[in-house]
């Protein structure tokens, strides 16, 4: 009876909270857990100790020393009964949410590493536990950061988990991203600019949403942006450390991040910040930048519609913002936009004549010189790869064509104008093929100007100024956009689509956006400064050209008329 009472007291001691324990009691509990791990075979094999095993699996703690003792007990149990690896993983995953100190995080990481060492086949159970126990988006910032810190640290010790863990952290960060209101992050400039200067300089800066406060807004401690900022600090610090390691580590993190980007971020409607993890990795070298662009080109050519439209936005934005995208790669991206616009226009507008395009062999050589992998290059240039319902052989009355082609065409058109506004002078100076006025006149006339009318007015106005400054074409009158209700009507299901070729109705979730607009999270933005290109007004560094005899520049205020 005495031994039975001692046993029950031991079980109760392990199950009890350690919040109010003295230092001696904490040390005693740690020693008990270590002893259980040392005698793991006896504990897990005897039915008399079933309650003790259950107590260990249910143990909760915030103390690093007890977490180390618990890790020892769990490793001893799993090494003698592998079927316990799933429940042991759940226990350590629960601890990861409470590991607020770095010492506690290290203790949990050591425990997870021990489980993988004694039971390597339990990696799948570990990944499943990580997903099940991930904090929900309403949890405290401390809990989100503690959990992400543990699993990212585990990846450094066990790179085979990297792809699944990065995908998990990115998916959960996207849930926080969706809750962020950028107006809460907007801070008015210290000095007011003249209206004209602001219109010119802020074209590619994130402007405050309608109704945003003019004064800086103080973030609440538990605001979604504060939680996301902490998680992004950990995520960007992780990829930065991996990029500074061996060649194999750099390649592994590039592939894992690209996989997470394609599987989670790319199809997310207007992600605000999480995509910058992929930006940081892709912009870490010119070679990785070219591979990232080649992959986006492949997705623009062959993917579901939502992904194709999104990939066009990412391609244009990355080519503008990444410092590692040189003029050659930017020119190849612009060539792809011209080529894809031409294909879409010929499929959508029956009377659209083919435009002179750079031969495919020339585009191939320009990408090959930028170290694009052979697989990506083949994926990029294959004629079969570019053929779909919107190609020349597609039925002209296809309901899918009527719904899909306009949205993709408008995205490509918008992307090309954005790219030329940002880097147009550089491309026009270095590549004569972009200085052909006929090329631009044909582009502006596509679809009676409907793609042009859909563009963001700021981008359109800046592009018109580029045309006038370089004397490329006369800005045409812009037709009024269709009434707003047309944008709000839901697209019918494929089997309900009518046969009218109404190309003024885009898919309701295909609004174009610029995914690499300036990053506003204050703490994590420091990881991006070296790789990020800010908008610079090209007129500030170029002498004004004398007006031609037929001056078609007009008044800037009338650009959109």
């Amino acid at each position: 009876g005495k031994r039975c009472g001692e046993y029950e007291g031991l079980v109760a001691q392990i199950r009890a909270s350690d919040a109010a324990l003295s230092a001696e009691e904490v040390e005693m509990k740690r020693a008990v857990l270590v002893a259980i791990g040392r005698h793991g075979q006896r504990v897990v094999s005897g039915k008399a100790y079933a309650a003790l095993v259950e107590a260990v699996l249910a143990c909760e703690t915030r103390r690093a020393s007890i977490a180390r003792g618990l890790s020892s007990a769990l490793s001893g149990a799993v090494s003698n009964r592998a079927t316990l690896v799933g429940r042991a993983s759940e226990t350590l995953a629960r601890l990861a949410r409470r590991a607020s100190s770095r010492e506690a995080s290290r203790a949990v990481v050591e425990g997870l590493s021990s489980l993988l060492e004694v039971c390597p086949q339990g990696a799948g159970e570990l990944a499943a536990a990580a997903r099940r126990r991930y904090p929900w988006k309403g949890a405290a910032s401390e809990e989100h950061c503690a959990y992400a810190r543990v699993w990212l640290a585990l990846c450094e010790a066990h790179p085979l988990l990297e792809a699944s863990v990065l995908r998990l952290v990115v998916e959960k960060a996207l849930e926080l991203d969706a809750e962020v209101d950028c107006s809460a992050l907007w801070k008015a400039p210290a000095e007011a600019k003249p209206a004209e200067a602001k219109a010119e300089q802020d074209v590619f800066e994130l402007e405050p949403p309608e109704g945003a406060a003019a004064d800086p807004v103080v973030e609440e401690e538990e605001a979604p942006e504060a939680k996301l900022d902490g998680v992004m600090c950990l995520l960007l610090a992780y990829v930065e450390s991996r990029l500074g390691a061996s060649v194999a580590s750099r390649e592994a993190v590039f592939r894992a991040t690209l996989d997470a980007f394609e599987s989670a971020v790319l199809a997310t409607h207007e992600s605000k910040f999480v995509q910058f993890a992929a930006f940081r990795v892709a912009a870490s070298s010119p070679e990785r930048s070219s591979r990232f662009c080649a992959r986006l080109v492949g997705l623009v050519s062959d993917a579901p519609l939502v992904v194709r439209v999104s990939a066009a936005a990412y391609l244009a934005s990355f080519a503008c913002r990444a410092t590692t995208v040189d003029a050659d790669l930017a020119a190849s991206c612009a060539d792809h936009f011209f080529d894809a616009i031409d294909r879409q226009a010929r499929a959508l507008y029956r009377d659209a004549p083919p435009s002179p395009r750079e031969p495919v062999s020339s585009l191939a050589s320009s990408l090959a010189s930028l170290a694009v992998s052979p697989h990506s290059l083949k994926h990029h240039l294959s004629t079969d790869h570019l053929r779909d319902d919107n190609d020349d052989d597609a039925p002209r009355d296809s309901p899918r064509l009527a719904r899909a082609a306009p949205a993709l065409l408008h995205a490509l058109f918008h992307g090309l104008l954005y790219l030329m506004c940002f880097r147009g002078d550089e491309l026009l100076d270095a590549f004569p093929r972009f200085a052909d006025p006929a090329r631009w006149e044909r582009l502006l006339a596509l679809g009676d100007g409907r793609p042009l009318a859909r563009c963001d007015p700021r981008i359109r106005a800046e592009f018109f100024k580029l045309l006038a400054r370089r004397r490329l074409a006369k800005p045409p009158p812009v037709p009024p956009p269709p009434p707003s209700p047309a944008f709000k009507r839901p697209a019918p299901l494929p089997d309900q689509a009518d046969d009218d070729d109404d190309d003024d109705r885009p898919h309701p979730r295909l609004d174009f956006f610029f995914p690499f607009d300036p990053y506003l999270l204050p703490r994590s933005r420091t990881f991006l400064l070296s790789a990020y290109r800010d908008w610079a007004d090209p007129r500030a560094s170029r002498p004004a050209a004398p007006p031609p005899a037929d001056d078609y520049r007009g008044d800037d205020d009338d650009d959109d008329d």
Side-chain angles (χ1 to χ4, degrees):
K2 180 179 179 180
R3 294 188 64 182
C4 182
E6 291 176 347
Y7 176 74
E8 291 175 354
L10 189 63
V11 171
Q13 181 185 9
I14 294 173
R15 284 183 176 274
S17 170
D18 56 20
L21 296 182
S22 65
E24 293 79 5
E25 290 171 327
V26 168
E27 177 56 27
M28 183 181 296
K29 187 171 182 177
R30 185 203 66 80
V32 168
L33 290 167
V34 171
I36 292 172
R38 191 178 298 122
H39 298 88
Q41 182 178 4
R42 181 182 176 186
V43 172
V44 300
S45 60
K47 292 184 179 179
Y49 296 108
L52 187 61
V53 173
E54 290 298 322
V56 169
L57 292 171
C59 184
E60 298 278 358
T61 184
R62 290 181 181 270
R63 298 179 184 267
S65 59
I66 295 180
R68 285 197 172 88
L70 181 59
S71 297
S72 176
L74 292 171
S75 297
V78 170
S79 64
N80 289 280
R81 189 191 293 176
T83 55
L84 290 175
V85 67
R87 297 188 63 192
S89 300
E90 290 277 351
T91 300
L92 289 173
R94 285 200 312 270
L95 260 61
R97 297 175 62 164
R98 299 171 174 267
S100 54
S101 69
R102 293 189 180 276
E103 187 179 356
S105 294
R106 282 193 294 270
V108 176
V109 171
E110 290 169 7
L112 292 167
S113 296
S114 297
L115 289 185
L116 287 172
E117 290 169 6
V118 300
C119 186
Q121 65 270 30
E125 302 255 16
L126 204 66
R131 183 171 289 276
R132 282 193 298 270
R133 291 293 175 179
Y134 207 101
W136 71 294
K137 62 185 179 182
S141 178
E142 180 184 75
E143 196 169 328
H144 278 280
C145 292
Y147 202 80
R149 183 185 297 113
V150 165
W151 292 101
L152 291 172
L154 184 65
C155 287
E156 295 202 46
H158 298 275
L160 289 178
L161 295 173
E162 186 171 61
S164 60
V165 169
L166 280 181
R167 190 182 307 119
L168 173 62
V169 174
V170 165
E171 288 174 2
K172 297 302 181 178
L174 283 169
E175 295 180 7
L176 294 174
D177 191 298
E179 300 295 316
V180 173
D181 179 7
C182 284
S183 64
L185 294 168
W186 174 257
K187 292 178 175 60
E191 297 180 5
K193 305 173 187 176
E196 182 178 354
K198 187 179 189 306
E200 294 175 353
Q201 296 178 21
D202 285 357
V203 171
F204 300 99
E205 297 174 4
L206 190 63
E207 292 193 352
E210 298 247 354
D215 296 323
V217 177
V218 179
E219 297 173 351
E220 298 180 4
E221 185 181 353
E222 296 299 323
E225 51 268 21
K227 299 177 190 179
L228 183 59
D229 200 5
V231 172
M232 289 301 295
C233 279
L234 294 167
L235 184 56
L236 291 170
Y238 172 79
V239 299
E240 192 134 303
S241 69
R242 295 282 284 161
L243 290 170
S246 64
V247 174
S249 296
R250 292 194 289 271
E251 180 62 20
V253 76
F254 174 76
R255 291 180 179 276
T257 308
L258 192 63
D259 175 67
F261 170 77
E262 289 187 27
S263 62
V265 178
L266 199 57
T268 299
H269 181 64
E270 295 195 15
S271 169
K272 306 173 191 74
F273 303 107
V274 179
Q275 64 270 21
F276 278 88
F279 178 93
R280 179 65 188 89
V281 175
S284 60
S285 76
E287 186 265 344
R288 279 184 283 276
S289 291
S290 63
R291 290 169 61 190
F292 184 63
C293 288
R295 182 60 189 141
L296 289 172
V297 164
L299 291 170
V300 169
S301 304
D302 183 15
L305 174 61
V306 173
V307 174
R308 296 174 77 180
V309 172
S310 184
Y314 276 95
L315 179 62
S317 195
F318 184 79
C320 293
R321 293 295 190 178
T323 57
T324 48
V325 174
D326 59 14
D328 287 330
L329 182 54
S332 295
C333 293
D335 284 329
H336 167 71
F337 276 110
F338 268 112
D339 186 75
I341 288 170
D342 183 63
R343 287 177 175 272
Q344 289 293 316
R346 285 188 289 120
L348 182 60
Y349 306 124
R350 304 182 186 187
D351 57 346
S355 64
R357 290 177 290 158
E358 185 180 3
V360 171
S361 59
S362 176
L363 181 57
S365 63
S366 65
L367 283 173
S369 66
L370 295 164
V372 179
S373 65
H375 173 75
S376 297
L377 188 62
K378 180 180 179 181
H379 188 77
H380 177 104
L381 296 170
S382 168
T383 302
D384 294 335
H385 183 69
L386 295 171
R387 300 181 77 85
D388 64 0
D389 286 348
N390 298 336
D391 213 337
D392 293 336
D393 295 334
R396 297 293 180 179
D397 57 350
S398 166
R400 180 179 174 186
L401 173 62
R403 301 297 175 218
L408 182 57
L409 176 63
H410 300 151
L412 292 165
F413 195 95
H414 210 169
L416 177 60
L417 264 60
Y418 182 77
L419 178 58
M420 291 304 297
C421 289
F422 212 104
R423 306 192 66 171
D425 283 300
E426 182 183 5
L427 298 182
L428 290 166
D429 289 339
F431 304 97
R433 63 180 180 272
F434 295 116
D436 180 8
R439 198 177 197 186
W440 297 106
E441 289 171 357
R442 181 186 178 280
L443 181 80
L444 296 173
L446 278 179
D448 297 324
R450 279 172 288 183
L452 186 64
R454 290 284 174 82
C455 285
D456 185 303
R458 297 170 301 163
I459 305 304
R460 186 170 60 233
E462 188 67 22
F463 179 68
F464 283 177
K465 292 171 187 175
L466 172 71
L467 294 180
R469 187 169 66 251
R470 302 305 295 259
R471 308 179 197 171
L472 292 174
K474 183 174 182 177
V478 179
S484 57
F487 290 89
K488 298 178 181 178
R489 283 186 290 175
L493 297 175
D495 57 349
Q496 299 173 339
D498 50 29
D499 293 330
D500 60 324
D501 191 9
D502 180 7
D503 61 9
D504 286 330
R505 239 181 320 180
H507 190 285
R509 298 293 287 174
L510 294 181
D511 308 299
F512 198 75
F513 75 114
F514 305 112
F516 297 124
D517 265 348
Y519 189 89
L520 298 179
L521 297 178
R523 292 168 53 206
S524 49
R525 72 183 298 271
T526 57
F527 292 96
L528 302 167
L529 296 178
S530 62
Y532 194 78
R533 188 196 310 266
D534 285 310
W535 162 251
D537 187 353
R539 284 154 292 190
S541 57
R542 296 180 63 90
D550 181 15
D551 187 2
Y552 48 73
R553 292 178 300 173
D555 189 350
D556 289 345
D557 294 333
D558 298 328
D559 286 333
D560 296 338
D561 294 336

